[in-house]
Amino acid sequence: MSELGPLTGEPLALDLVNTRTAGGDLLTTPAELRAWLRLQADRLPLPEVLTEADVIAVRRVREHVARALDRARRGDEPLAADLGALNRAQRAAPAVTELSWNGQAVTAARRRVTGSAGERLAAWLAEAAAELLADPAVTRVRECEADDCVMVFLPAHPRRRWCSAARCGNRVRVARHYQRHKPPA
């Protein structure tokens, strides 16, 4: 992972896209995928074993999400191939709502019980992408305004300009301050 770690806290599909940084890919090995999944523990299951094939499945979904998102956020039609790939990823490990009794009430939990660990993980991520792509808020997704940043985010405030104040915002403000106060050459 990068020195600051991956950007998290955005909708899950954006967190996935943001694993491709200006500094490189944060999901190249099973260990890196496991580390990212630990950061998403409240939103995604953590498979016991992850393989290179699982990394490939997740990266494939990420590429389709990134392309579809890039078009959808501008109000353009995503490519049918990208939407089809996301639909196939979801069908590879369909979700079921599993009911149980907790001693006081019926509880419901979404589970994916078929497919390999990579297919189940890819299906969860494709489902998160489908939710974001179908949400009218997708047109508000922005790219970070820092020159060397490729992160995307869904701003909660219309004046937000950077992926993170700690990551890019402070760096941009410090650079501006330096330019205003540097001695003449």
Side-chain angles (χ1 to χ4, degrees), residues 4-59:
L4 293 173
L7 181 64
T8 59
E10 295 295 331
L12 184 57
L14 295 182
D15 280 3
L16 176 63
V17 170
N18 285 334
T19 60
R20 277 186 330 188
T21 70
D25 190 340
L26 301 179
L27 301 180
T28 60
T29 66
E32 289 174 338
L33 177 56
R34 179 172 292 287
W36 182 75
L37 289 172
R38 275 192 213 105
L39 296 172
Q40 304 292 345
D42 59 330
R43 303 194 281 184
L44 286 171
L46 181 61
E48 288 183 30
V49 177
L50 291 167
T51 66
E52 292 294 330
D54 300 332
V55 174
I56 291 167
V58 168
R59 289 177 64 177

Side-chain angles (χ1 to χ4, degrees), residues 93-127:
V96 296
T97 302
E98 201 170 85
L99 301 174
S100 62
W101 180 256
N102 70 2
Q104 298 176 338
V106 173
T107 61
R110 301 252 312 150
R111 303 219 193 288
R112 293 184 186 274
V113 293
T114 61
S116 69
E119 288 172 332
R120 289 191 312 268
L121 188 52
W124 283 119
L125 294 166
E127 183 177 357

Side-chain angles (χ1 to χ4, degrees), residues 176-183:
R176 268 198 242 133
H177 176 79
Y178 175 77
Q179 287 299 322
R180 283 192 310 265
H181 294 90
K182 76 177 182 176

Side-chain angles (χ1 to χ4, degrees), residues 7 10 14 18 22 73 140-155 160-172:
L7 181 64
E10 295 295 331
L14 295 182
N18 285 334
R73 72 186 188 86
R140 293 193 342 254
V141 171
R142 294 186 187 169
E143 290 180 15
C144 182
E145 290 185 18
D147 290 338
D148 59 346
C149 186
V150 297
M151 300 291 175
V152 291
F153 60 92
L154 181 60
R160 182 175 169 193
R161 300 174 56 202
W162 302 293
C163 62
S164 163
R167 239 176 239 272
C168 292
N170 286 344
R171 198 166 28 91
V172 169

Side-chain angles (χ1 to χ4, degrees), residues 64 68 77-91 133:
H64 292 294
E77 179 182 1
L79 298 176
D82 291 324
L83 298 180
L86 294 172
N87 288 333
R88 283 188 302 280
Q90 291 179 78
R91 283 193 297 270
L133 291 168

